């Protein structure tokens, strides 16, 4: 039996992962499941999968969660520290499906005992990519990408020599506003930004898809994870979301990964890697689909892409600023404090301010520096959006 832990088990990715696990319960020994406010779901899954431990990141929910699991053997804990402690329990495979920079510390803790870490939490790679990769190397741990584009690139690279790679193309659906007049974007509401044409995902990544902050994050994720130059990475708008990424080689070949928009593919690939196993996802009928379309991204519609490109060039701690300012701006948009287009302004102003005070490019990427940079960026981002409002 493989010992596994799922961080962010109650979210969209976490639930897709548990769907795969629950289909083959005898194959897995579930060590820990973690979640947030949805303790009903967390307790339900911990009970049905017979987890050793269930943790909510909210301390105030401890007794409620404990009550829900009182008649079971499941251990209960609460708070960010308890999540980091859960991550210190050795497992064979862990999935990091927490949303936001909060995924960084548990991810690092899991890598420290040499596990295989399936990483959906792109924020930790954007914030502290070199730190994660170094931690994995030091402890003989493996990081596997779960973001669909990065899983696709990873699969296209099996058996290939990185020296023969000329370019990496990640596709983007264009999100909720791909057909809106650009002039109308300033008035986009939360409800409008929270619906995705192709993927069913958590609310934050759905809004980030509408703004393409998600694709910006993924550009940085590609650079960090695969170690390719920023100039080699391209974004291609592909409305159908069936080709997830392509790798271009020095002989002119493009290897494309084609599959249904169902995250259980990328999660399942990481779960069974290096093998391939049967997965319960749709088999594409390409004759019925008929055609696939491609467009260059419109930078006026998606200013987040240029900001991400700037961050890739800057390197250092600028990824931590980009992610934190983006998270804070997104909080502001969700709370109705700022408009849709203000999010990119907030991130840009925060980057300008923090790069002017120096140290972003030269600062060492240590956990302390990253957490302090993240904290400061949120303060500057809040100031920036208060000035806008
Ligand atoms: P979600 O909002 O549906 O779920 C997030 C999970 O994280 C929940 O279990 C929640 O309880 C937990 N969580 C939230 N804040 C936390 C905190 N401060 N500390 C600990 N746990 C916390 O999000 P999601 O859509 O499942 O996305 C999860 C991650 O996967 C994100 O990094 C996202 O970018 C990435 N991802 C998601 C998809 C997708 O299809 N949903 C695709 C690719 C990548
Ligand atoms: Mg993605």
């Amino acid at each position: 039996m493989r010992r596994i832990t799922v961080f962010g088990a109650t979210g969209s990715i976490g639930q897709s992962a548990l769907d795969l696990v629950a289909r083959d319960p005898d194959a897995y020994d579930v060590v820990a499941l973690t979640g947030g406010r949805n303790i009903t779901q967390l307790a339900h899954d911990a009970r049905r999968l017979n987890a050793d431990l269930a943790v909510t990141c909210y301390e105030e929910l401890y007794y409620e969660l404990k009550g829900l699991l009182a008649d079971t053997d499941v251990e209960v804990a609460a708070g960010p520290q308890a999540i980091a402690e859960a991550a210190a329990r050795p497992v064979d495979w862990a999935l990091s499906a927490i949303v936001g920079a909060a995924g960084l510390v548990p991810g690092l803790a899991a890598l420290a005992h040499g596990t295989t870490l399936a990483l959906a939490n792109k924020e930790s790679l954007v914030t502290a990519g070199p730190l994660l990769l170094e931690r994995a190397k030091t402890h003989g741990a493996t990081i596997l990408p779960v973001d669909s584009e990065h899983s696709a690139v990873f699969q296209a690279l099996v058996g290939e020599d990185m020296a023969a790679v000329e370019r990496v193309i990640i596709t983007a659906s264009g999100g909720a506003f791909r057909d809106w007049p650009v002039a109308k974007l300033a008035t986009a509401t939360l409800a409008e930004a929270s619906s995705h044409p192709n993927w069913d995902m958590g609310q934050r990544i759905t809004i980030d898809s509408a703004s393409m902050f998600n694709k910006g994050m993924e550009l940085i994720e590609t650079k960090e994870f695969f170690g390719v130059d920023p100039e080699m990475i391209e974004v291609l708008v592909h409305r159908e979301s069936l080709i997830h990424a392509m790798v271009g080689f020095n002989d002119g070949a493009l290897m494309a990964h084609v599959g249904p928009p169902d995250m259980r593919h990328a999660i399942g690939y990481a779960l069974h890697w290096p093998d391939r196993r049967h997965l319960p996802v749709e088999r594409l009928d390409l004759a019925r689909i008929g055609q696939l379309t491609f467009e260059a991204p419109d930078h006026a519609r998606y200013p987040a892409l240029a900001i991400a490109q700037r961050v890739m060039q800057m390197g250092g701690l600028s990824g931590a600023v980009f992610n934190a300012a983006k998270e804070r701006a997104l909080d502001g948009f969700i709370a109705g404090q700022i408009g849709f287009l203000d999010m990119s302004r907030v991130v840009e102003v925060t980057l300008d301010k923090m790069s002017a005070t120096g140290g972003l490019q030269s600062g060492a990427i240590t956990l302390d520096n990253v957490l302090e940079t993240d904290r400061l960026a949120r303060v500057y981002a809040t100031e920036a959006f208060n000035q806008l409002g």
Side-chain angles (χ1 to χ4, degrees):
M1 285 230 279
R2 291 174 76 202
R3 291 166 306 162
I4 66 166
T5 281
V6 178
F7 302 98
T10 56
S12 166
I13 291 285
Q15 289 291 296
S16 293
L18 296 192
D19 173 74
L20 296 178
V21 169
R23 286 165 193 264
D24 194 5
D26 296 339
Y28 304 102
D29 174 5
V30 178
V31 173
L33 299 179
T34 84
R37 294 223 177 275
N38 192 352
I39 52 171
T40 312
Q41 184 70 52
L42 181 61
H44 170 74
D45 290 326
R47 180 188 293 273
R48 76 183 168 118
L49 297 169
N50 196 20
D52 299 346
L53 172 66
V55 191
T56 161
C57 66
Y58 297 104
E59 265 160 42
E60 65 273 21
L61 295 178
Y62 173 78
Y63 287 104
E64 222 177 306
L65 181 60
K66 185 127 182 98
L68 290 172
L69 289 165
D71 60 329
T72 69
D73 299 335
V74 181
E75 245 180 278
V76 169
Q81 183 59 32
I83 292 187
E85 279 165 23
R89 296 192 181 193
V91 288
D92 303 305
W93 188 84
L95 171 65
S96 176
I98 288 173
V99 64
L104 177 60
V105 168
L108 287 170
L111 290 171
H113 55 69
T115 190
T116 296
L117 181 67
L119 194 64
N121 179 256
K122 66 190 84 185
E123 295 87 346
S124 54
L125 266 178
V126 171
T127 302
L131 191 60
L132 279 168
L133 297 187
E134 181 197 293
R135 179 70 61 100
K137 202 171 164 197
T138 308
H139 297 275
T142 303
I143 303 177
L144 298 172
V146 170
D147 213 346
S148 56
E149 298 75 4
H150 305 76
S151 174
V153 172
F154 190 79
Q155 293 179 53
L157 285 173
V158 170
E160 302 289 352
D161 180 356
M162 280 308 286
V165 173
E166 268 182 2
R167 56 183 179 149
V168 175
I169 302 171
I170 58 174
T171 61
S173 68
F177 304 137
R178 60 192 186 187
D179 295 320
W180 279 37
V182 175
K184 205 181 143 196
L185 289 178
T187 67
T189 65
L190 178 60
E192 287 163 338
S194 302
S195 86
H196 196 283
N198 303 340
W199 294 92
D200 180 11
M201 310 185 284
Q203 186 187 36
R204 297 182 74 89
I205 183 173
T206 302
I207 301 169
D208 283 349
S209 298
S211 63
M212 277 221 201
F213 264 113
N214 181 50
K215 212 48 58 182
M217 301 274 289
E218 291 179 356
L219 282 172
I220 303 168
E221 190 185 0
T222 305
K223 173 192 168 229
E224 296 297 345
F225 189 81
F226 298 103
V228 288
D229 292 341
E231 297 74 23
M232 293 164 66
I233 316 169
E234 300 166 29
V235 172
L236 181 66
V237 175
H238 165 52
R239 296 178 161 250
E240 296 80 11
S241 295
L242 297 177
I243 294 183
H244 305 295
M246 300 182 225
V247 178
F249 293 93
N250 57 5
D251 59 356
L254 270 180
M255 299 295 282
H257 181 285
V258 192
D262 182 335
M263 286 308 294
R264 290 177 306 173
H265 169 73
I267 298 165
Y269 183 79
L271 181 61
H272 301 305
W273 176 89
D275 301 331
R276 281 192 191 273
R277 300 254 180 94
H278 177 272
L279 290 173
V281 302
E282 183 196 344
R283 273 42 177 176
L284 293 177
D285 178 349
L286 291 172
R288 188 183 54 78
I289 291 161
Q291 60 182 3
L292 301 178
T293 61
F294 306 99
E295 299 154 61
D298 172 355
H299 285 269
R301 183 182 298 277
Y302 305 113
L305 291 179
I307 307 176
Q309 267 147 357
R310 176 178 165 201
V311 168
M312 285 199 291
Q313 296 296 344
M314 284 178 74
L317 291 161
S318 65
V321 175
F322 177 77
N323 179 68
K326 190 278 294 177
E327 286 194 33
R328 192 66 195 95
L330 183 56
D331 293 339
F333 176 68
I334 291 173
Q337 293 164 310
I338 58 171
F340 183 74
L341 289 179
D342 293 334
M343 288 192 284
S344 52
R345 292 199 196 105
V346 164
V347 176
E348 216 157 14
V349 168
T350 307
L351 259 176
D352 287 345
K353 256 193 163 161
M354 289 192 63
S355 51
T357 49
L360 271 195
Q361 282 157 286
S362 56
I365 306 178
T366 60
L367 183 58
D368 284 350
N369 282 352
V370 165
L371 294 179
E372 177 56 15
T373 303
D374 176 287
R375 189 192 65 77
L376 207 56
R378 284 170 207 259
V379 172
Y380 282 134
T382 306
E383 268 174 35
F385 80 61
N386 286 340
Q387 278 160 14
L388 285 169

